[in-house]
Amino acid sequence: MRLTVLGCRQGMPADGQASSSYMVSTGSARLLLDCGPGAATAFSSIAHPSDLDAIVISHLHADHCYDLLTLGKTLLSGRLRDPERFPTLRDAARMEWPPVPLYVPKGGKARLEILASAFPVPSFPMLDRSFDVAFEVHEYEPADAFIVGDCKIIMHKLNHSLPNCGTRIESPEGSFAFTGDTAATPDLVPLAQDVDLFLAEATLEEPDTTNHGHLCATEVGEVAAAADVAQLVLTHFITADETWLTARKADAERSYGGPVHLAAPGRTFDIRPAGGTR
């Protein structure tokens, strides 16, 4: 199992970095977790959306789902190709890719259809059908579980201003957990319990005192220690400043004694019981 970081920025893209988006791959499954602004561009450098076996969205804030529309239009665009208009272009053949399974919180399909309707293409109405043709949309609720390839995916309710579920993935190749966005909550420990890699947002420098719902690295380190995870990756950063990021890594290390890594675009991590990173 391998984690590839596509984007790790909190909120909107900045410093050339995309918002939240990550790919987890095994020998029989490619899963995209979240798809914030800039994720489609980052993903296009390594694969085509049709290569995905499923997409799982933690919650419906724009920095975690906005580029679903871009991926959907990419999947639909093959249906509109006319090779006669591009006689010298080898890849101009018409393509009809099967819909990619898309898992979103309950009520998400209607909200995403509103997003698609905001940017109509009257001359090619097929391009407006991301969420009924390009994707096979499934709405999940907390505690739901589903199988994709060799992966069992379990959704864990956490604490954010919009409904957010952490994602736990178990396969013969390893185990993995991702927080999405959440405030500190006891529910983080069962999400991450004994996983080979824990990917956790560490947005803040100090604990959240609002009702919005984010973690700081100190809290993440405490959860990683309590859950006995094999390795920890911090993500969802407000800055790319190396000094600030190094300080957040140190915050987590004060309570968690295992390997602590910082997410960065393009960085990959091997997920197996022995741990490891590239």
Side-chain angles (χ1 to χ4, degrees), residues 103-152:
Y103 295 86
V104 299
K106 186 177 180 180
K109 188 174 191 292
R111 294 180 65 185
L112 291 170
E113 287 175 343
I114 292 171
L115 173 65
S117 69
F119 304 100
V121 185
S123 55
F124 293 105
M126 174 58 70
L127 288 176
D128 302 332
R129 301 186 64 187
S130 290
F131 301 106
D132 69 324
V133 175
F135 297 118
E136 180 183 294
V137 181
H138 305 270
E139 296 188 346
Y140 68 77
E141 297 192 60
D144 280 356
F146 39 94
I147 303 295
V148 178
D150 63 353
C151 296
K152 181 179 182 181

Side-chain angles (χ1 to χ4, degrees), residues 152-248:
K152 181 179 182 181
I153 303 169
I154 310 127
M155 308 308 297
H156 288 248
K157 183 180 180 180
L158 298 177
N159 182 14
H160 195 49
S161 57
L162 280 183
N164 172 87
C165 279
T167 305
R168 183 181 175 104
I169 301 173
E170 299 172 354
S171 94
E173 296 185 20
S175 57
F176 165 89
F178 168 52
T179 61
D181 287 358
T182 180
T185 168
D187 296 321
L188 281 162
V189 174
L191 165 69
Q193 189 69 57
D194 298 322
V195 293
D196 300 317
L197 189 145
F198 182 34
L199 175 66
E201 67 123 324
T203 308
L204 304 177
E205 189 169 339
E206 300 290 339
D208 195 353
T209 59
T210 75
N211 61 1
H212 189 65
H214 280 302
L215 292 167
C216 68
T218 298
E219 294 168 321
V220 172
E222 292 168 352
V223 171
D228 196 24
V229 307
Q231 57 178 328
L232 171 63
V233 179
L234 304 178
T235 191
H236 205 253
F237 301 129
I238 197 170
T239 180
D241 180 83
E242 292 186 8
T243 300
W244 193 89
L245 294 173
T246 300
R248 304 292 73 76

Side-chain angles (χ1 to χ4, degrees), residues 6-7 11-13 16-22 32-45 48-49 52 55-57 59-76 100 102 104 112 115-116 119 127 130-131 134-135:
L6 300 173
M12 294 300 102
Q17 298 182 351
S19 301
S20 183
S21 188
Y22 315 89
L32 185 66
L33 306 182
D34 285 352
C35 189
T41 300
F43 184 76
S44 70
S45 69
H48 187 272
L52 288 168
I55 302 171
V56 182
I57 301 299
H59 66 291
L60 292 173
H61 277 148
D63 60 324
H64 292 257
C65 67
Y66 193 84
D67 263 19
L68 285 173
L69 183 59
T70 305
L71 289 189
K73 287 181 180 288
T74 300
L75 288 165
L76 295 172
V100 174
L102 169 62
V104 299
L112 291 170
L115 173 65
F119 304 100
L127 288 176
S130 290
F131 301 106
F135 297 118

